[in-house]
């Protein structure tokens, strides 16, 4: 999972430092697909807001639930489980 963490860090830099949504979405999805809970959560936010991706509430909720299943605190909070 080291590669997933590295991909998340790249996504986070594009998201938080540069607000380059399409690059953030690309790396975030790669990391999320490899099981990184933080990336799954951030991808859910990007899908909810339509940042770098077509807005999709359904897909956003799916990623949010995956992140919560890994006990990621923000996902648990958003689902009212924390």
């Amino acid at each position: 999972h080291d590669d997933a963490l590295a991909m998340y860090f790249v996504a986070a830099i594009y998201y938080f430092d540069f607000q380059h949504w399409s690059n953030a979405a690309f790396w975030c999805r790669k990391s999320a697909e490899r099981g990184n809970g933080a990336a799954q959560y951030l991808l859910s936010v990007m899908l909810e807001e339509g940042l770098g991706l077509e807005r999709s509430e359904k897909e956003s909720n799916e990623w949010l639930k995956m992140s919560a299943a890994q006990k990621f605190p923000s996902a648990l909070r958003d689902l009212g489980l924390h």
Side-chain angles (χ1 to χ4, degrees):
H1 290 274
D2 289 342
D3 61 334
L5 183 59
M7 290 175 191
Y8 172 71
F9 286 144
V10 172
I13 290 168
Y14 279 119
Y15 184 91
F16 294 106
D17 294 342
F18 299 115
Q19 290 80 47
H20 195 294
W21 311 127
S22 60
N23 280 351
F26 174 83
W27 288 108
C28 199
R29 184 178 294 278
K30 290 243 183 234
S31 179
E33 288 171 347
R34 286 167 176 75
N36 183 280
Q40 291 168 342
Y41 179 76
L42 184 56
L43 186 58
S44 77
V45 170
M46 296 183 78
L47 285 159
E48 179 71 26
E49 300 295 326
L51 297 173
L53 301 158
E54 185 175 334
R55 190 177 186 286
S56 171
E57 191 171 324
K58 180 179 184 272
E59 189 179 359
S60 172
N61 286 333
E62 291 169 3
W63 285 112
L64 182 63
K65 289 175 186 172
M66 283 187 255
S67 180
Q70 296 193 61
K71 308 290 187 222
F72 189 72
S74 298
L76 292 170
R77 181 200 64 225
D78 286 4
L79 291 172
L81 302 172
H82 183 53

